Amino acid sequence: FFRYLGTKKYKMHVRIFIARYRGYAQCADCEGERLRPEARDVYVGGKRISQLTGFPISDLYHFFQAFELPSESQAVAGKIVHEIRKRLLFLKKVGLQYLTLDRLTSTLSGGETQRIHLAASLGSSLVGTLYVLDEPSIGLHLRDQERLVEILSQLRDLGNTIVVVEHEREIIHQADYVIDMGPGAGENGGEVIHQGDVASLLDNDRSVTGRYLSGQLRIPTPVFRRSPSSSYLLIRNAREHNLKRIDVKIPLGVLTCITGVSGSGKSTLVHDVIHAGLKKQRGEWKGSVGAFDSIEGGGAIADVILVDQSPIGRTPRSNPVTYVKAFDEIRKLFAAQREAQAKNLSPAHFSFNVSGGRCETCQGTGTVTVEMQFLADVQLVCEDCGGKRFTQRVLDVTYRGHNIDSVLNMTVQQAIAFFSSETSLVRKLKVLEEVGLGYLRLGQPATTLSGGEAQRIKLASYLARKAAGNSLFILDEPTTGLHFEDIHKLLRAFDRLISQGASLIVIEHNLDVIKSADWIIDLGPEGGDEGGEVVAAGTPEEIARCDRSHTGRYLRSYLFRQEEIVSRSN
């Protein structure tokens, strides 16, 4: 039967069906080395190629540094060894020393992939090239950010031009030229606020970025930190990937940050062990779970919620107001109008997800896809509804002079003012404004939202419906793509969740978030095989005093800057 299905594998549903019954086992012939015997019989320095590609890059670099060719082979392979050493050095410099060369690219994060491209660019020694990088610091610890700046400076010094979209203050400080956009977001932005060096940016009062960098605006360090309650999560003997059989105690009812250099085991601990392990305990997980002995304290948690940056919807019909359930209120308002009742229109007629009131030509998307045989598909505005997504009889119904289409084209801030008398609706819209998304249009298709925007909409949805107390929220680098002002708003959203009885576990490198945490668990001390240990656990002040912690070293200057100034003056 499966041999027969193999002849039909060109059909998508057949491939999906086969995948349900297929497992993977190590090849008995090559024992997972993926090469023929002839290739496996070639040795360099006493190692087969599959052994070398299985080494972490740091170990492989040391291997080739110590490797010496026989004199008769220098002419043949001397240049090759030099190039191998150079490329391995670049991979180390971009902070990827913990990766192995045989690592599948599908398992790499976006930040790791971007840094591999950077290392390849350095190795190619191109000149006169324009490099455009979008947030290359994603997933990078401050220690690794310094290495990134060093590499970008090397590329510049070779005669290249580097354009970087970035929010990290250390990278902005190292720029030769800064273009600041603003002054706000969405309709309130789109202007060039500043062009020039960093020093002149700090003196530009119109620039929110400059005011944060100069210290005029800042995210304050909490005066009082929430004390951990008597409830804890206790993970025993976590040993997945590079975790060194660690026991981790996470307090509930507070904001806990998981920190550490890139590759130290943060994602493994949080995603593979804590999230998957708790979901498995609750019978809500069918995938693989990281290796550990037990998780204690899970009974005190009502729900486990992973707030990631995956899209909130995969079709243009999904939008911010449908996700936070505010669109239900808007549809009820329109259905209650006298004109709608005269036409026998219910709230369902004002939805573009069901038949009745939506334009059936475009099925409520506002666009029609034209398939091009040998080119990419073309999206055209629907000729029947003109992109308004509803039939004319629905569009004829107005509320205070606006129809459903013009309301969906309002920004969140505009809608809050427009619906000011509708308390329940305004409450749901205000949570979008509180997480820094007041500039979004109500009907903006979910497919046009960034990962950071999608993540904050998910947070807003939980704030709007007042998630059950004792819920555990897990977030992985929620500050990705966020400006200082947005981070300030995000921290206020965290405070609201905790005040409702929730617990937060956040993987983060941003010092503004780390210094605002109630409890920190720092992993490391390095990445890969040299990581996977709990370096320190405690309050930000306690982590800052830990000399072994890279995070503590950078946090110290953030928390104790005033003390250092006083001591120097004395």
Side-chain angles (χ1 to χ4, degrees):
F1 172 65
F2 281 99
R3 279 196 297 272
Y4 163 74
L5 287 180
T7 66
K8 306 290 183 182
K9 284 170 65 175
Y10 60 88
K11 297 179 179 179
M12 175 66 77
H13 70 277
V14 173
R15 292 201 299 274
I16 294 172
F17 179 83
I18 292 173
R20 293 178 59 189
Y21 298 93
R22 177 188 285 145
Y24 293 91
Q26 190 180 77
C27 174
D29 288 348
C30 70
E31 296 182 340
E33 294 190 27
R34 301 189 282 187
L35 296 172
R36 294 172 55 179
E38 298 91 327
R40 299 203 304 273
D41 288 343
V42 178
Y43 287 79
V44 170
K47 302 289 183 184
R48 298 191 301 277
I49 189 169
S50 54
Q51 291 176 307
L52 292 177
T53 55
F55 284 175
I57 286 168
S58 56
D59 293 350
L60 192 59
Y61 175 75
H62 292 309
F63 174 85
F64 276 103
Q65 284 296 100
F67 177 69
E68 292 186 6
L69 281 169
S71 55
E72 63 273 14
S73 302
Q74 279 288 349
V76 178
K79 178 68 173 174
I80 295 172
V81 173
H82 171 73
E83 289 297 327
I84 290 172
R85 287 171 178 163
K86 188 170 73 169
R87 281 161 170 74
L88 291 174
L89 177 62
F90 292 147
L91 286 168
K92 276 188 66 181
K93 282 186 173 182
V94 294
L96 297 176
Q97 67 280 354
Y98 56 90
L99 293 182
T100 59
L101 292 186
D102 60 2
R103 174 89 170 257
L104 295 177
T105 53
S106 59
T107 66
L108 297 173
S109 69
E112 287 169 336
T113 302
Q114 192 164 222
R115 280 178 280 158
I116 287 172
H117 289 317
L118 269 178
S121 298
L122 265 178
S124 66
S125 299
L126 289 173
V127 295
T129 303
L130 170 66
Y131 291 94
V132 181
L133 297 94
D134 191 356
E135 304 242 25
S137 64
I138 290 173
L140 287 189
H141 190 272
L142 279 163
R143 194 274 307 270
D144 301 313
Q145 285 181 26
E146 290 180 350
R147 295 173 174 175
L148 174 67
V149 170
E150 182 184 336
I151 285 174
L152 295 177
S153 299
Q154 287 181 25
L155 282 171
R156 176 202 60 198
D157 295 341
L158 286 171
N160 299 299
T161 301
I162 319 293
V163 177
V164 181
V165 179
E166 193 52 82
H167 294 108
E168 285 295 331
R169 72 174 69 227
E170 297 306 320
I171 296 180
I172 297 173
H173 273 298
Q174 296 299 321
D176 302 307
Y177 194 83
V178 179
I179 299 172
D180 189 47
M181 304 295 292
E187 288 191 344
N188 298 323
E191 300 176 34
V192 175
I193 303 300
H194 173 82
Q195 296 184 77
D197 58 17
V198 177
S200 58
L201 174 67
L202 301 184
D203 292 332
N204 189 335
D205 290 335
R206 193 162 174 250
S207 167
V208 178
T209 305
R211 291 168 70 191
Y212 268 100
L213 291 175
S214 66
Q216 292 181 46
L217 294 176
R218 61 188 180 88
I219 298 172
T221 302
V223 179
F224 301 104
R225 300 195 187 277
R226 286 172 284 258
S227 299
S229 66
S230 56
S231 299
Y232 285 86
L233 272 183
L234 181 57
I235 299 94
R236 294 192 182 275
N237 200 22
R239 54 191 181 277
E240 182 71 6
H241 296 320
N242 66 330
L243 297 179
K244 304 288 196 301
R245 297 185 171 275
I246 57 175
D247 295 338
V248 182
K249 193 175 183 180
I250 299 175
L252 298 179
V254 298
L255 170 58
T256 300
C257 268
I258 311 295
T259 63
V261 298
S262 305
S264 58
K266 302 183 297 298
S267 294
T268 299
L269 173 65
V270 173
H271 290 283
D272 299 346
V273 176
I274 298 174
H275 178 246
L278 286 172
K279 285 287 190 181
K280 191 80 170 179
Q281 278 185 358
R282 304 162 69 87
E284 301 170 0
W285 190 262
K286 294 182 180 178
S288 60
V289 180
F292 63 94
D293 284 353
S294 64
I295 296 181
E296 300 170 15
I301 297 170
D303 197 8
V304 181
I305 302 158
L306 176 65
V307 187
D308 59 13
Q309 296 200 359
S310 59
I312 60 171
R314 301 192 180 277
T315 72
R317 289 191 292 270
S318 300
N319 56 46
V321 284
T322 56
Y323 201 86
V324 299
K325 306 298 182 187
F327 197 32
D328 296 344
E329 307 272 352
I330 294 171
R331 290 190 291 113
K332 287 175 185 175
L333 267 179
F334 274 93
Q337 301 308 302
R338 183 178 301 173
E339 196 172 356
Q341 292 175 348
K343 295 180 178 181
N344 202 25
L345 297 177
S346 68
H349 287 91
F350 294 89
S351 168
F352 34 67
N353 288 315
V354 293
S355 301
R358 72 180 183 182
C359 172
E360 290 304 320
T361 304
C362 62
Q363 294 190 320
T365 63
T367 59
V368 176
T369 302
V370 179
E371 294 184 5
M372 308 294 285
Q373 206 157 12
F374 302 106
L375 299 169
D377 293 345
V378 176
Q379 298 284 339
L380 298 177
V381 174
C382 176
E383 292 183 1
D384 284 4
C385 67
K388 295 184 177 181
R389 301 189 278 188
F390 292 96
T391 60
Q392 191 57 48
R393 72 184 191 123
V394 169
L395 292 171
D396 287 340
V397 178
T398 60
Y399 171 76
R400 293 176 56 194
H402 288 269
N403 64 18
I404 188 71
D405 175 64
S406 61
V407 164
L408 288 173
N409 277 312
M410 291 180 181
T411 65
V412 172
Q413 291 170 333
Q414 290 170 341
I416 289 171
F418 181 72
F419 293 109
S420 57
S421 59
E422 305 297 329
T423 309
S424 176
L425 174 56
V426 168
R427 181 175 58 82
K428 291 177 179 178
L429 292 175
K430 274 195 170 178
V431 292
L432 287 170
E433 187 179 41
E434 286 170 9
V435 295
L437 297 176
Y439 60 90
L440 289 183
R441 298 194 179 278
L442 302 189
Q444 185 169 334
T447 50
T448 65
L449 299 172
S450 70
E453 287 169 338
Q455 189 173 43
R456 282 181 284 164
I457 288 172
K458 292 175 188 177
L459 269 180
S461 73
Y462 293 111
L463 288 168
R465 68 174 182 245
K466 292 188 177 179
N470 302 327
S471 294
L472 174 64
F473 288 85
I474 296 173
L475 298 97
D476 191 347
E477 300 230 40
T479 60
T480 297
L482 297 193
H483 187 270
F484 307 110
E485 184 69 14
D486 298 321
I487 294 171
H488 201 168
K489 292 175 180 176
L490 181 71
L491 288 169
R492 288 203 293 265
F494 287 173
D495 288 338
R496 276 194 59 188
L497 283 172
I498 294 171
S499 68
Q500 292 174 7
S503 305
L504 271 74
I505 298 176
V506 179
I507 300 174
E508 194 51 82
H509 293 112
N510 183 279
L511 285 176
D512 285 315
V513 175
I514 294 172
K515 75 174 185 181
S516 302
D518 304 301
W519 196 257
I520 296 174
I521 297 168
D522 190 50
L523 299 184
E526 300 296 335
D529 289 341
E530 296 177 19
E533 302 174 29
V534 177
V535 177
T539 64
E541 288 77 13
E542 290 169 339
I543 300 298
R545 296 187 188 99
C546 179
D547 293 331
R548 189 166 174 248
S549 166
H550 289 298
T551 304
R553 183 158 48 89
Y554 289 98
L555 190 57
R556 190 178 303 140
S557 63
Y558 236 55
L559 288 176
F560 304 136
R561 189 172 295 154
Q562 294 304 315
E563 291 182 17
E564 291 174 3
I565 292 171
V566 172
S567 64
R568 279 200 299 269
S569 64
N570 292 336

